Amino acid sequence: MSLQTLLVDDDKIVIFLHKTMVVKTGISTQPLVFNDGKQALDFLKAQYSEENAYLILLDINMPIMNGWEFLDAIQQLSYAHKLYIIMVTSSVDGADKEMAKKYPQVIGFIEKPIDLNKWKSIKEIPVIADFFI
Amino acid sequence: MKNFDTQTSHQFIAKANIAIAFIDTDFCYRALSDKWKILFEIFDQTILGSNHLELFGEESNQWKQLYEKVLTGKFKKVEAPFKKNSGIVRWLNWDIQPYFNDFGEITGIYLQVEDTTDRKKNDHLLQEIYEVANVGGWEIDFVNNAVYFTDIAKQIFEIPTDFEPTIDNYLFRIKTETDKQLIANAVLNTKNNGLSFSHEVLTITEKKQDKWIKINGKAVLDKDMCVRVFGTLEDIDEQKKLAAHVQKSEEQFRGAFENSAIGMALIKPDGRWIEVNNSLCNILGYTKEELLQFKFQDITHADDIHTDLQYLQDLIDGVRESYHLEKRYIHKNGHVIWALLGVSLVHDQQGNPLHFISQVKDITKTKETEQRILASEQKFRTLFKLSPVAFSINDLETGKYIDFNDAFAKDIGYTNTEIYALSYWDVIPKEYQEIEINILNALSKTGHFGPYELEFTRKDGSLYPVLLNGVKIKDSEGKDIIWTVVQNLADIKQKGKELSLLNDQISRSNYRLKAAQEIGKLGYWELNIQTKESFWSDEVYRIFGIDKSSYAASYDLFYKMIHPEDRNEFHKGRRAALSGMSSNDIEYRIVCPDNSIKFVYQRMSVVYDEDRNPIRFEGIVQDITMQKKGEHHLKVLESVIINLTDAVVITEVNPTAPDEQRIVYVNDSFTKMTGYTKDEVIGKSPKILQGPKSDRNELDRLKKSLQRWEPCEIETVNYKKNGDTFWINFSVSPVANQNGNYTHWIAIERDVTERKKYIQEIEDQNKKLREIAWTQSHVLRAPVAKIMGLVNLLNDTTFVENNTTEVLNYITSSATELDDIIRKIVYTTETIEN
């Protein structure tokens, strides 16, 4: 089983940065890019494969479907337990962090910018570390 | 069968200690024991060889069938009744076995019979007893390792009747492991040592409820060996719970009994103390041990024994359930103890008197006071009634006659009943009603009035002149009443006599003086003009702060004590009295020996002889220091209220509808604050200040406090006269009159509109500041984060160079984004400052 990486952010510069770094740090050779939660959700519904687990870097403030709405929507999915989500925000707010605890799929909370060390630390998160050995 | 036919065998069998017999395949006796013969009453010596079945008469055929089965190799045990020739029926237990020869062939039948009639009877009886007593039976048979419970035992254990107990499970209903072990060990001990046991253990029923049972066990020995342990089971749950309950109530009762502040005792029907508590011992002065030696009659006052015993008899006869009695005991040291006694009777289960419960409260002090009051009341009443001078007592509020004496009734010409229906308004002609109002004013100011000369109307309509003097006093319920001395001036000649009579009354009657002294705090003095002799009542000494035993009353002493600045005032009063003016009231200061200054109110009169020559001065003095100081204090307080910048509102409560209030006072600040003048609001309800924007919750809270007479502070919107709203902080407290009843509310109201506005402004500012903070953390950081990320990329030496232009473009656009946001922040901040 392999780990498919999804980048969800409405800012193209952020996408550029994250895509560059994901490839560079070896998290994924071909990360998929979505501009809002709805696009990512549609992809999962259409393309979900039993062969894969999914690492999703999720921005909070986005048009159409924001990070929280996306989190609410995936709770209905039968394979929700195979989604590993890292919340990415420009400023870590205590209230946001508290809110994220309600969603079992959220495995991390990262403040932008994500520097090299932070990318490396993602690979060491216990629940997904096995995918990078 | 040859074995049976030998002589030795015959003799051996004959002597056997049990009833046995051998019969052959034709059912004829081949051998039998002497016991057999006795049991079956066989006296025929030629019995051997005769047919055994003959014993059974009509039933022989059934027995024959049974024996035929035995001859096929079956073993049989039968218990059956057997009717003897003598007609007696006995229960017999038959043990019937086939007899085998050396070749294993059945050659006959071996019979052994036991008479079980008695045992059976016992078993049956026992069974019945168990059933009646609801006692279960159990048995452990060690030979067969079997456990047996009777049906009742199963009921007690609450296990189904088809449950088959075994040695391993028979104790499963017992609640605790400890108890299970206890019973198991007891059974073992009984088995090994033959000891009986009896234990009470807690079981747990099918419905998970606790149940107490009692288990008894006993050994059954067979040749000194214990073969069985059997015993009984009893449901003692009720008993146990009842016992616990009884113990608990006993403890509670004992606690209440021992610790009660009231004397308590249990007394036998004959009067002997059974139990007494400490309080009772303290009241009566005896120790517990001493009291228990004798009867209550021994220490009851002789005059009260009869009544007490009569009441006790009533309790025994069921005429009454309890009684209360004020009675006297004799204390150990001889003095009389007055007690309030409460007694009730406790019956035993058969309804026979068991004991009395007595409660004894020491009321000696109350009783003594009561008797003193009664005695003085009696004396006073006699004096009042028989005095030749007319007295009347009226209710201050209604003017109704509450009491009067014979002299009053005689003068006015009404019967007693008629007077009680009158008020003083009815007897005073209209032209004097102004004086009457003066009287009431004087009463409310100084507590006394007079002398006033006016006329009273008799029943027949005629008028008679009277001279009135009076004081305001309180009756036992705290109600204000007026005590008036009504001197009849009808006969001028009579007048002199009656005046002197009155003087006698006032100066000589100790009671009158005491009453005046006690009631009005009035001091009475007199000065003989010729002899200069002086008399001061005790109250004068008290007011002047002089010790009666060290100083004799004298005019010089009196005069010296008057404050030098006020001596002229005193002379003025004297001159007024001499010139016949009745309104000679003066107030002056005195300097007491301890240099304290007191304010004194004085009124005096001149007593003339029959030739109208003055013979002596009489004066009444009253200490009005408190009043004066109070007045001063009031003035100070009032000036505070008047000058306060907060509005002050005093409201009076409608006594019949405590929710309703009307304004009786407002200060100037109130007018400034609300626009209402005093005249516009006095008499109105304070609700005129409320309106639709007033805070309902706060007003409800206020209303609740008002209903409970509790102080309260609220903040709400109020309305000015012109309709403008303003915020007030409103703090209100109840005011009690001297009787402790709440009659008024004082409210202090502060205009907090400015403060409210200020708070609102601060809150608005805070909201804007919060917006800025949020923008900074979320929006401002987004482009910063991007720039930082992009710069990191550029610094990375491994980064592919042909992407540099793209990265730089991204940096520029992020920087522009950042710039826009900062401009927005500056703009928002400017709007706050403005």
Side-chain angles (χ1 to χ4, degrees):
Chain A
M1 193 159 65
S2 62
L3 188 69
Q4 175 80 264
T5 301
L6 278 61
L7 304 175
V8 190
D9 201 304
D10 61 321
D11 190 314
K12 61 176 183 175
I13 300 176
V14 174
I15 289 290
F16 166 76
L17 273 170
H18 289 182
K19 199 173 173 181
T20 309
M21 295 307 285
V22 163
V23 174
K24 185 173 157 59
T25 53
I27 289 173
S28 168
T29 50
Q30 264 193 317
L32 301 169
V33 171
F34 304 94
N35 287 331
D36 63 67
K38 179 85 169 48
Q39 286 182 14
L41 185 66
D42 289 345
F43 164 80
L44 283 172
K45 281 181 175 169
Q47 312 272 329
Y48 168 75
S49 155
E50 294 242 335
E51 306 292 304
N52 289 337
Y54 297 85
L55 173 65
I56 305 172
L57 288 154
L58 183 67
D59 185 28
I60 294 177
N61 293 315
M62 289 179 290
I64 303 173
M65 179 185 269
N66 71 23
W68 299 120
E69 288 161 344
F70 175 78
L71 280 170
D72 285 335
I74 61 160
Q75 301 307 315
Q76 315 296 331
L77 304 177
S78 59
Y79 44 87
H81 62 282
K82 288 177 78 179
L83 308 180
Y84 300 99
I85 295 170
I86 294 173
M87 306 293 285
V88 185
T89 169
S90 52
S91 175
V92 174
D93 188 311
D96 287 346
K97 243 182 161 167
E98 206 44 47
M99 177 116 135
K101 280 186 187 167
K102 289 187 210 157
Y103 302 97
Q105 298 82 7
V106 177
I107 59 167
F109 217 101
I110 293 186
E111 190 171 71
K112 296 174 197 170
I114 311 177
D115 62 23
L116 200 62
N117 288 333
K118 285 183 191 165
W119 287 114
K120 284 180 181 161
S121 72
I122 288 175
K123 292 170 79 176
E124 287 159 13
I125 297 174
V127 287
I128 53 172
D130 286 350
F131 292 106
F132 303 110
I133 296 167
Chain B
M1 296 301 293
K2 62 179 177 191
N3 289 347
F4 294 127
D5 296 333
T6 65
Q7 196 60 29
T8 333
S9 301
H10 272 278
Q11 276 177 1
F12 184 72
I13 290 166
K15 298 298 169 215
N17 204 23
I18 46 176
I20 49 173
F22 291 94
I23 53 175
D24 56 24
T25 50
D26 297 325
F27 318 121
C28 292
Y29 287 115
R30 303 303 301 212
L32 69 173
S33 68
D34 292 346
K35 290 270 180 190
W36 183 280
K37 289 181 185 168
I38 294 167
L39 181 64
F40 291 107
E41 296 170 337
I42 299 168
F43 307 111
D44 185 356
Q45 294 301 322
T46 61
I47 185 71
L48 288 179
S50 67
N51 195 324
H52 160 66
L53 291 175
E54 285 170 9
L55 264 182
F56 302 113
E58 289 172 3
E59 291 174 5
S60 60
N61 216 27
Q62 291 164 32
W63 285 90
K64 189 181 171 195
Q65 282 169 18
L66 181 77
Y67 289 144
E68 278 166 351
K69 278 183 186 151
V70 173
L71 286 175
T72 66
K74 297 248 168 23
F75 288 65
K76 291 282 177 190
K77 280 192 177 182
V78 178
E79 191 165 36
F82 179 79
K83 193 173 178 182
K84 293 194 183 183
N85 287 336
S86 52
I88 297 167
V89 176
R90 304 293 290 182
W91 275 90
L92 299 183
N93 202 5
W94 295 77
D95 192 352
I96 311 165
Q97 298 179 10
Y99 187 82
F100 298 91
N101 69 5
D102 296 342
F103 307 104
E105 297 159 349
I106 297 170
T107 56
I109 297 171
Y110 167 79
L111 299 167
Q112 181 181 329
V113 181
E114 188 189 358
D115 185 339
T116 58
T117 313
D118 293 339
R119 204 176 77 201
K120 201 148 175 82
K121 264 188 191 160
N122 283 342
D123 281 357
H124 185 68
L125 200 61
L126 208 57
Q127 184 77 14
E128 290 216 324
I129 288 169
Y130 280 180
E131 265 170 36
V132 170
N134 202 31
V135 171
W138 59 275
E139 184 180 289
I140 301 173
D141 178 351
F142 292 114
V143 179
N144 298 312
N145 246 0
V147 180
Y148 171 71
F149 282 0
T150 66
D151 286 350
I152 294 175
K154 287 177 180 175
Q155 275 168 28
I156 291 171
F157 263 149
E158 299 193 19
I159 50 179
T161 39
D162 57 3
F163 176 83
E164 286 182 11
T166 69
I167 205 94
D168 298 320
N169 73 4
Y170 75 107
L171 293 173
F172 83 106
R173 278 292 182 206
I174 294 175
K175 191 177 181 184
T176 64
E177 279 308 315
T178 326
D179 278 354
K180 282 182 191 173
Q181 206 56 49
L182 174 77
I183 300 300
N185 286 344
V187 169
L188 209 61
N189 199 22
T190 306
K191 183 191 170 196
N192 294 339
N193 307 318
L195 296 174
S196 300
F197 69 87
S198 174
H199 289 299
E200 290 175 359
V201 292
L202 201 56
T203 62
I204 193 142
T205 67
E206 190 74 45
K207 289 176 184 162
K208 305 282 173 220
Q209 273 164 347
D210 286 357
K211 181 174 179 179
W212 280 97
I213 60 158
K214 186 177 180 179
I215 305 180
N216 290 317
K218 196 173 189 297
V220 177
L221 299 177
D222 184 18
K223 294 168 197 155
D224 292 341
M225 271 287 292
C226 174
V227 290
R228 291 187 294 152
V229 172
F230 78 101
T232 56
L233 273 179
E234 276 174 80
D235 179 349
I236 54 162
D237 199 48
E238 286 287 311
Q239 216 172 314
K240 212 55 183 173
K241 279 175 184 158
L242 197 66
H245 183 70
V246 166
Q247 193 185 353
K248 202 173 159 197
S249 24
E250 161 83 14
E251 277 164 13
Q252 280 171 347
F253 170 71
R254 186 139 294 278
F257 185 83
E258 289 297 346
N259 301 322
S260 170
I262 292 176
M264 289 175 92
L266 295 186
I267 298 176
K268 279 188 188 165
D270 70 351
R272 203 164 288 279
W273 309 96
I274 307 169
E275 297 246 22
V276 293
N277 73 351
N278 292 332
S279 295
L280 186 67
C281 294
N282 291 340
I283 293 171
L284 299 174
Y286 289 95
T287 66
K288 262 184 200 181
E289 292 69 29
E290 286 169 338
L291 275 183
L292 297 181
Q293 297 294 313
F294 41 73
K295 301 178 177 180
F296 79 85
Q297 293 93 321
D298 301 333
I299 54 163
T300 294
H301 193 284
D303 294 349
D304 293 338
I305 285 180
H306 180 73
T307 324
D308 207 352
L309 288 177
Q310 183 56 51
Y311 279 141
L312 284 182
Q313 193 56 48
D314 285 354
L315 291 186
I316 291 170
D317 295 345
V319 177
R320 54 176 82 223
E321 287 184 344
S322 65
Y323 69 86
H324 281 95
L325 173 69
E326 279 186 10
K327 65 171 277 190
R328 285 159 290 181
Y329 288 101
I330 308 298
H331 191 272
K332 189 182 181 184
N333 62 23
H335 67 253
V336 170
I337 301 286
W338 271 100
L340 179 65
L341 172 70
V343 184
S344 49
L345 177 60
V346 177
H347 294 93
D348 65 14
Q349 283 171 339
Q350 281 74 44
N352 299 319
L354 189 62
H355 52 244
F356 297 108
I357 297 180
S358 297
Q359 288 172 295
V360 180
K361 195 179 168 199
D362 186 350
I363 53 162
T364 310
K365 281 222 170 70
T366 331
K367 205 70 191 172
E368 279 169 0
T369 316
E370 195 179 289
Q371 281 178 337
R372 256 205 316 276
I373 291 169
L374 270 178
S376 78
E377 158 99 18
Q378 191 57 41
K379 281 181 203 158
F380 175 73
R381 196 140 274 287
T382 312
L383 174 79
F384 179 84
K385 189 164 169 56
L386 301 179
S387 167
V389 178
F391 293 117
S392 74
I393 294 174
N394 299 77
D395 184 342
L396 177 64
E397 209 182 321
T398 63
K400 286 269 183 213
Y401 282 96
I402 296 167
D403 212 346
F404 48 86
N405 64 355
D406 295 351
F408 179 84
K410 196 178 138 228
D411 287 342
I412 204 155
Y414 285 99
T415 67
N416 288 1
T417 327
E418 286 166 342
I419 297 173
Y420 283 125
L422 296 173
S423 81
Y424 47 69
W425 303 105
D426 298 320
V427 302
I428 298 171
K430 283 222 160 48
E431 55 264 41
Y432 291 108
Q433 283 191 352
E434 204 168 316
I435 293 184
E436 187 59 25
I437 288 161
N438 289 341
I439 289 177
L440 290 177
N441 285 342
L443 276 175
S444 66
K445 263 192 198 148
T446 62
H448 58 84
F449 70 90
Y452 284 109
E453 270 195 50
L454 57 136
E455 288 174 308
F456 271 10
T457 317
R458 288 201 185 86
K459 187 184 182 185
D460 59 13
S462 62
L463 300 175
Y464 69 106
V466 289
L467 182 70
L468 301 184
N469 276 288
V471 287
K472 183 173 82 175
I473 56 179
K474 282 192 192 302
D475 70 4
S476 55
E477 284 150 15
K479 201 161 73 174
D480 286 328
I481 56 175
I482 322 166
W483 180 1
T484 315
V485 180
V486 186
Q487 294 170 55
N488 187 347
L489 305 177
D491 186 345
I492 299 296
K493 271 204 159 180
Q494 197 71 8
K495 183 177 165 185
K497 271 190 187 171
E498 284 188 12
L499 262 180
S500 69
L501 265 175
L502 171 69
N503 290 337
D504 283 353
Q505 196 67 44
I506 291 173
S507 59
R508 304 216 172 81
S509 157
N510 202 16
Y511 301 117
R512 176 68 184 87
L513 265 180
K514 272 198 175 146
Q517 229 169 267
E518 283 174 15
I519 294 161
K521 290 283 175 208
L522 293 174
Y524 170 83
W525 59 260
E526 58 180 53
L527 172 67
N528 189 307
I529 293 170
Q530 267 109 49
T531 64
K532 299 286 178 198
E533 263 179 332
S534 285
F535 167 80
W536 296 355
S537 74
D538 290 351
E539 184 66 8
V540 176
Y541 283 100
R542 203 195 58 76
I543 293 171
F544 280 46
I546 293 173
D547 182 5
K548 192 178 179 180
S549 54
S550 347
Y551 292 93
S554 79
Y555 176 70
D556 287 345
L557 179 61
F558 191 100
Y559 188 74
K560 255 201 284 185
M561 288 188 64
I562 297 170
H563 195 289
E565 288 174 17
D566 291 351
R567 284 180 190 156
N568 273 338
E569 190 69 14
F570 180 74
H571 291 307
K572 224 164 82 187
R574 198 179 59 170
R575 277 197 302 274
L578 276 172
S579 64
M581 288 166 68
S582 54
S583 54
N584 59 51
D585 308 24
I586 50 165
E587 286 175 12
Y588 55 84
R589 287 167 292 173
I590 54 167
V591 184
C592 297
D594 63 0
N595 285 328
S596 63
I597 290 181
K598 283 184 180 169
F599 288 84
V600 173
Y601 165 88
Q602 176 183 279
R603 202 187 66 235
M604 58 199 280
S605 61
V606 186
V607 180
Y608 300 90
D609 64 12
E610 288 180 21
D611 303 325
R612 296 291 293 166
N613 296 318
I615 49 169
R616 65 172 192 271
F617 290 109
E618 289 178 347
I620 304 261
V621 284
Q622 189 179 26
D623 184 349
I624 55 166
T625 313
M626 290 296 283
Q627 212 171 315
K628 280 281 171 191
K629 284 189 177 158
E631 273 172 27
H632 179 68
H633 189 62
L634 261 182
K635 274 181 190 153
V636 173
L637 278 184
E638 197 180 354
S639 75
V640 171
I641 290 176
I642 288 169
N643 298 312
L644 212 57
T645 52
D646 291 340
V648 175
V649 179
I650 301 177
T651 59
E652 186 181 58
V653 178
N654 180 348
T656 55
D659 272 1
E660 287 174 28
Q661 298 177 40
R662 56 188 196 96
I663 298 173
V664 293
Y665 176 86
V666 294
N667 66 352
D668 295 344
S669 297
F670 178 86
T671 306
K672 275 184 213 151
M673 196 183 288
T674 64
Y676 289 107
T677 65
K678 283 187 189 189
D679 294 341
E680 286 169 331
V681 290
I682 300 285
K684 300 264 169 58
S685 160
K687 286 183 183 162
I688 58 167
L689 297 173
Q690 298 168 8
K693 285 189 188 165
S694 301
D695 187 333
R696 273 328 317 167
N697 290 338
E698 288 284 274
L699 292 178
D700 284 348
R701 197 159 65 78
L702 174 68
K703 192 175 170 189
K704 275 180 193 146
S705 296
L706 293 181
Q707 282 164 351
R708 291 195 292 257
W709 294 105
E710 284 170 1
C712 178
E713 187 174 334
I714 63 165
E715 254 180 41
T716 181
V717 168
N718 263 6
Y719 286 77
K720 294 186 185 184
K721 187 184 171 187
N722 65 11
D724 288 353
T725 58
F726 64 108
W727 274 91
I728 57 152
N729 174 286
F730 180 92
S731 139
V732 64
S733 311
V735 183
N737 65 9
Q738 65 263 50
N739 298 335
N741 298 324
Y742 292 113
T743 54
H744 291 78
W745 289 95
I746 291 186
I748 307 221
E749 303 174 3
R750 174 169 295 180
D751 188 339
V752 292
T753 312
E754 287 301 313
R755 205 184 76 207
K756 276 279 171 186
K757 264 190 204 159
Y758 183 61
I759 289 172
Q760 190 58 46
E761 277 167 17
I762 289 177
E763 276 175 1
D764 289 349
Q765 292 247 17
N766 279 345
K767 200 177 164 196
K768 283 182 180 159
L769 288 172
R770 272 199 300 276
E771 278 170 14
I772 293 171
W774 189 89
T775 313
Q776 274 181 337
S777 68
H778 283 86
V779 184
L780 186 60
R781 259 209 108 253
V784 173
K786 281 188 279 184
I787 293 169
M788 286 163 77
L790 292 163
V791 170
N792 280 345
L793 216 55
L794 284 179
N795 285 339
D796 189 342
T797 48
T798 61
F799 187 66
V800 191
E801 203 168 287
N802 59 3
N803 273 346
T804 314
T805 323
E806 192 183 3
V807 172
L808 285 175
N809 282 340
Y810 282 151
I811 291 180
T812 312
S813 78
S814 297
T816 312
E817 193 187 330
L818 180 60
D819 189 43
D820 280 350
I821 291 161
I822 291 172
R823 278 172 203 279
K824 268 185 204 154
I825 291 171
V826 172
Y827 175 76
T828 323
T829 316
E830 276 171 356
T831 62
I832 295 169
E833 282 162 359
N834 297 337

